[in-house]
Amino acid sequence: MKEETRNLVLFVAIAAVILIGWQFVVTRFLPPARPPVTKIAGGETKVVKSAAADPAADSAAATKSRQAVLAETPRVRIDTPSLQGSINLRGARLDDLVLLRHRETIAKNSPFVRLLSPSGAPRAYFASWGWAGDGVQTPGRDTLWTADAPVLAPGRPVTLSTTNAQGLRFQLRFTVDRDYMFSVQQSVANASGRPVTLRPYGLISRTGLPHEIDTWTNHVGPVGVFGRGANYDITYPNLQGEGPSFWARIFGSSAKAGENYFDHKGGWLGFGDIYWLTALIPDQQAQVHAGFKGAGDTFQADYTRAPVTLPAGRAATQTSRFFAGAKEVELIDGYQDKGGIENFDKAIDWGWFRIIEKPIFYYLDFLSKLIGNFGVAIIALTITVRGLLFPIAQRQFASMAKMKAVQPKMKAIQERYADDKQRQQQEIMALYRAEGVNPLAGCLPVLLQIPIMYALYKVLLLTIEMRHQPFALWIRDLSAPDPLTPINLFGLLPFTPPAVIAIGIIPILLGVSMYYQFKLNPAPMDEAQKQVFAIMPWMLMFVMAPFAVGLQLYWITSNVLTILQQRLLYARHPEMLAPVK
């Protein structure tokens, strides 16, 4: 009895530590879902503005508005089915871009997500291309270029030109597809009468830290492929001189302050948010020197090609690409497979379980397009998974039936060797062998579901296809937590409870479903274990509350199917319902 009491006290203590320290744990290892896109106030659903949706949003500290800065310089308009913006003819910068397929919030009149903003506006974010050379006058940030067309659109390229006093003529020819990929052809013609040596380059400059948090689960910040797999080790603090990140130190990264450049062939580099990406993509067959640097709160990704000596009267051309848009999975994979961009799918930080996550994503995406509702697609995915695991569950239940049958013998052994725990354990293991019982067999379906649960968690967290996907009633975004909580009487009380106690209706239903599932399981003989199983559903309810509703919907559906499955199997194994004597 003393041991049972000690076990119960130990469990309660551990549970308290988990609940109290949960916010720290999930911030480090498993970041919860994005903040809710809606809130319940006064009994009504209201849309919440998401600061993270606009990485170049205006701020109160701005000296000039974005529109005022855009109006100061001549521009070439960008007009595609997916993008809208302009190229600045002063400096030949691509510094004005909004994404027409994505809005800041779920409101119908919400502005489109802005990705790029000009220098001089708050949170400047732009890309530019040029040349560097000793003793050569090359175009700079104040050079005024001329354009051969007023609009850049798919099938309608634009060429920018400028000539310096030495007789060098520089050209930038921009093309764009119907999605998010630009092609930039850099040309220079030497009419100076003497050889010149030039190094073509491309850069992305970004001012201000993102609203999103870089975590072990999902990298936010500088990212690139430098002749090998994707490098997620370089972070914004690293560029500010703070040395390797926490995770880089844990996993032995060689990234150090000031050592963020690499010499390699092909690859790509840029800045990634959870959903958005800008990436410079040099010629995949060219040798480049590429990497990142920072100064204060301004960060730069850049690459340079090897120096080229251009004789008098000759011209040279090199081509690169620039991605600026949403990290749409199928599109990113297409650019990698058909566009020949090395490891471009690593722009999405799938992690170690990508072999499970990507099939789950594609299956969910297929179901959501087929059914027309992403929440129903998650339910269909759950039914699929449970169907595949049903034969294993049958074997699990048969094992549980054997365990139930030997419990009287186990109880007799426990009573006989109550004062000799080592002998007791030896006799119980001998009993298992004699009766053909595997006490771990019941864990197999749970263990198989763990990677599926984690994969679905990552899919909901990472993929923009899941962003702002509604389900039913008040659930307007399955990738965010449940906004409806009884803590403030469903929004009737004028306060927002802290996240640790803001238990929504869906997490409560999850706790209830787990309670009934546990009730159907054979009751353990140990009293401490009974107490553990009684508390576990409600503890997990608190643990799961900050996570995406879609993940909770998967778990609830799985629990309901498990309950139905258990009833079916109880009908096949009625001995499981008999009380232990």
Side-chain angles (χ1 to χ4, degrees), residues 475-537:
I475 304 300
R476 306 283 293 278
D477 187 352
L478 284 160
S479 66
D482 185 354
L484 189 63
T485 174
I487 302 299
N488 60 3
L489 296 183
F490 309 108
L492 294 176
L493 297 179
F495 80 96
T496 301
V500 70
I501 63 169
I503 310 299
I505 297 300
I506 301 300
I508 291 173
L509 292 177
L510 172 60
V512 171
S513 68
M514 290 193 67
Y515 171 78
Y516 280 107
Q517 180 187 339
F518 283 9
K519 288 286 286 184
L520 283 176
N521 288 334
M525 296 175 59
D526 186 80
E527 288 299 322
Q529 291 183 26
K530 289 181 182 179
Q531 295 297 326
V532 167
F533 284 116
I535 297 173
M536 186 70 73

Side-chain angles (χ1 to χ4, degrees), residues 27-73:
T27 300
R28 286 287 190 182
F29 294 96
L30 296 173
R34 298 180 303 105
V37 299
T38 60
K39 65 177 181 179
I40 312 298
E44 297 181 356
T45 301
K46 297 182 179 180
V47 176
V48 177
K49 180 174 175 57
S50 174
D54 185 357
D58 286 327
S59 68
T63 57
K64 289 185 180 180
S65 71
R66 182 184 298 114
Q67 292 304 317
V69 175
L70 291 173
E72 291 176 348
T73 55

Side-chain angles (χ1 to χ4, degrees), residues 22 78 95 105 123 126 135 161 164 208 282 303 331 372 379 445 452 540:
W22 181 244
I78 299 171
D95 62 359
T105 71
R123 302 182 70 83
F126 61 84
S161 305
N164 69 8
Y303 73 88
L331 183 65
I379 294 173
I452 296 172
L540 288 176

Side-chain angles (χ1 to χ4, degrees), residues 16-221:
V17 171
I18 291 175
L19 288 176
I20 294 171
W22 181 244
Q23 293 302 314
F24 172 79
V25 172
V26 297
T27 300
R28 286 287 190 182
F29 294 96
L30 296 173
R34 298 180 303 105
V37 299
T38 60
K39 65 177 181 179
I40 312 298
E44 297 181 356
T45 301
K46 297 182 179 180
V47 176
V48 177
K49 180 174 175 57
S50 174
D54 185 357
D58 286 327
S59 68
T63 57
K64 289 185 180 180
S65 71
R66 182 184 298 114
Q67 292 304 317
V69 175
L70 291 173
E72 291 176 348
T73 55
R75 293 180 168 271
V76 171
R77 185 162 56 89
I78 299 171
D79 190 3
T80 83
S82 307
L83 299 170
Q84 194 173 77
S86 61
I87 300 173
N88 189 348
L89 291 180
R90 186 173 298 280
R93 291 177 170 179
L94 206 169
D95 62 359
D96 170 32
L97 209 61
V98 296
L99 312 182
L100 301 181
R101 296 208 288 248
H102 302 281
R103 296 183 180 272
E104 289 186 15
T105 71
I106 61 172
K108 292 182 178 179
N109 61 347
S110 174
F112 295 113
V113 168
R114 171 168 287 279
L115 188 61
L116 302 183
S117 276
S119 179
R123 302 182 70 83
Y125 196 2
F126 61 84
S128 68
W129 295 263
W131 297 260
D134 297 330
V136 182
Q137 181 185 349
T138 56
R141 60 181 298 175
D142 294 321
T143 300
L144 190 61
W145 297 66
T146 58
D148 65 353
V151 179
L152 173 63
R156 297 165 60 186
V158 170
T159 300
L160 309 186
S161 305
T162 186
T163 303
N164 69 8
Q166 297 171 315
L168 295 175
R169 182 170 179 78
F170 300 92
Q171 288 188 330
L172 293 171
R173 185 177 187 268
F174 289 88
T175 60
V176 64
D177 65 12
R178 298 180 63 85
D179 297 303
Y180 306 123
M181 189 67 76
F182 294 84
S183 179
V184 185
Q185 187 182 81
Q186 295 173 251
S187 301
V188 57
N190 183 9
S192 67
R194 63 182 181 85
V196 296
T197 300
L198 297 168
R199 298 186 305 276
Y201 69 80
L203 66 85
I204 302 170
S205 177
R206 179 172 189 170
T207 300
L209 293 170
H211 299 285
E212 298 148 345
I213 299 173
D214 179 41
T215 67
W216 175 74
T217 306
N218 180 32
H219 176 67
V220 172

